[in-house]
Amino acid sequence: MANLKELPFSALQFYATAPYPCSYLEDRQARSQVATPAHLINADIYSELVRAGFRRSGIFTYRPHCDSCNSCIPVRVPVAEYRPNRSQRRAWEMHRHLISRVVGLAFDPEHYELYLHYQATRHAGGGMDNDSREQYSQFLLQTKVNTRLVEFRDPPAPSAPIGALGRLRMVSIIDVLADGLSSVYTFYDPDELHVSYGTYNVMWQIAQCRALQLPYLYLGYWIEQSPKMSYKANFRPVEMLRRGHWVRRKADTASGRG
């Protein structure tokens, strides 16, 4: 872990939140360490914080700071070495027809409707399935760093008028860092089962890193015991932040992936 008293963190303060119910592991209490003040966290400082294991939710930059649990492990993919497995190649072929478009970081009723439907279907009872418009905007649309909102749509029908848009399938929020992209949040059409939108989206972000000549895609926290988070270890090789150092996952090293 970077020494948080050194530059560029010397102007920041860090405090621990009160315990709250963990969103990923049942019957556990979580705490976070939050970096403040938010207005001092620009794109450069945020890049350093992400390398030190932090993430953001809206304008709040945090990392896990639990009293008796170290299950949340920051992970990133070194994109130059990534090679898709069979199921990932299948997901890419299935969705490569989607049209990606960077749009303004502003409220869009169509995005919000998809978000609510995704939360109600995939994360019912998780506390986000009834988010108000204000909560949604605070979570995904407020930022102090270099953020992109990307929507993915089907191609418009051949009979559609010029300028018409195809059906919205997925929305992704991505931060641009000094050494990579950080995947903030993605939501997608939950009605189609077994179509691997999430897998395709991570692969698309890896491709964007390569196109921008950025070495890493930061995927947030991997939690081995959580089915919601376990997919992140499938993008191999993967590096994990352990005791302040990014190291290759042992399974990847043992298998000859780096």
Side-chain angles (χ1 to χ4, degrees):
M1 178 182 68
N3 187 338
L4 299 182
K5 294 182 180 179
E6 296 178 353
L7 291 173
F9 303 146
S10 59
L12 301 179
Q13 295 182 340
F14 300 86
Y15 70 89
T17 67
Y20 55 88
C22 179
S23 300
Y24 300 104
L25 300 177
E26 291 185 5
D27 302 322
R28 296 200 191 184
Q29 291 288 298
R31 292 210 301 168
S32 296
Q33 183 181 47
V34 180
T36 60
H39 71 271
L40 293 183
I41 302 176
N42 57 27
D44 291 335
I45 291 178
Y46 184 64
S47 294
E48 295 289 340
L49 286 167
V50 171
R51 279 195 287 272
F54 283 80
R55 297 278 288 166
R56 73 172 183 86
S57 176
I59 63 172
F60 298 101
T61 303
Y62 70 95
R63 67 180 174 186
H65 191 69
C66 302
D67 296 321
S68 58
C69 179
N70 295 302
S71 295
C72 293
I73 302 173
V75 293
R76 69 184 186 185
V77 178
V79 300
E81 300 174 64
Y82 165 72
R83 297 294 181 271
N85 60 29
R86 182 180 301 176
S87 64
Q88 290 165 357
R89 291 195 298 269
R90 186 164 55 247
W92 182 264
E93 290 300 321
M94 187 182 302
H95 299 304
R96 64 186 306 173
H97 68 282
L98 293 177
I99 298 172
S100 60
R101 188 172 69 131
V102 178
V103 299
L105 196 66
F107 182 83
D108 184 312
E110 188 180 16
H111 295 172
Y112 180 54
E113 182 180 356
L114 180 64
Y115 171 83
L116 290 179
H117 187 40
Y118 172 81
Q119 293 294 344
T121 304
R122 294 300 179 95
H123 302 291
M128 299 168 68
D129 46 326
N130 291 309
D131 275 3
S132 67
R133 171 174 172 169
E134 181 180 2
Q135 290 170 317
Y136 166 83
S137 298
Q138 289 177 348
F139 172 42
L140 293 178
L141 304 181
Q142 292 189 12
T143 180
K144 298 289 186 180
V145 299
N146 190 357
T147 302
R148 300 286 183 270
L149 191 157
V150 187
E151 61 176 29
F152 297 80
R153 295 180 178 272
D154 287 331
S159 59
I162 296 175
L165 299 175
R167 179 174 176 177
L168 180 67
R169 292 295 187 178
M170 182 163 51
V171 174
S172 190
I173 310 294
I174 305 166
D175 289 337
V176 182
L177 310 176
D179 66 343
L181 299 178
S182 176
S183 185
V184 177
Y185 198 75
T186 296
F187 54 94
Y188 48 82
D189 185 347
D191 292 334
E192 294 189 63
L193 301 177
H194 312 298
V195 294
S196 304
Y197 279 124
T199 296
Y200 171 79
N201 187 269
V202 173
M203 296 178 71
W204 184 89
Q205 292 185 41
I206 288 173
Q208 289 297 299
C209 286
R210 289 173 170 173
L212 296 170
Q213 298 184 328
L214 296 171
Y216 300 110
L217 174 63
Y218 290 85
L219 291 177
Y221 304 117
W222 174 66
I223 304 172
E224 187 174 13
Q225 307 97 308
S226 171
K228 295 178 183 179
M229 295 293 195
S230 60
Y231 74 93
K232 297 180 182 182
N234 295 329
F235 295 90
R236 302 170 64 181
V238 67
E239 295 180 353
M240 301 182 170
L241 187 61
R242 300 277 197 180
R243 298 181 180 87
H245 299 282
W246 288 97
V247 297
R248 191 66 51 92
R249 185 171 180 246
K250 289 183 179 180
D252 295 350
T253 302
S255 65
R257 291 176 174 265

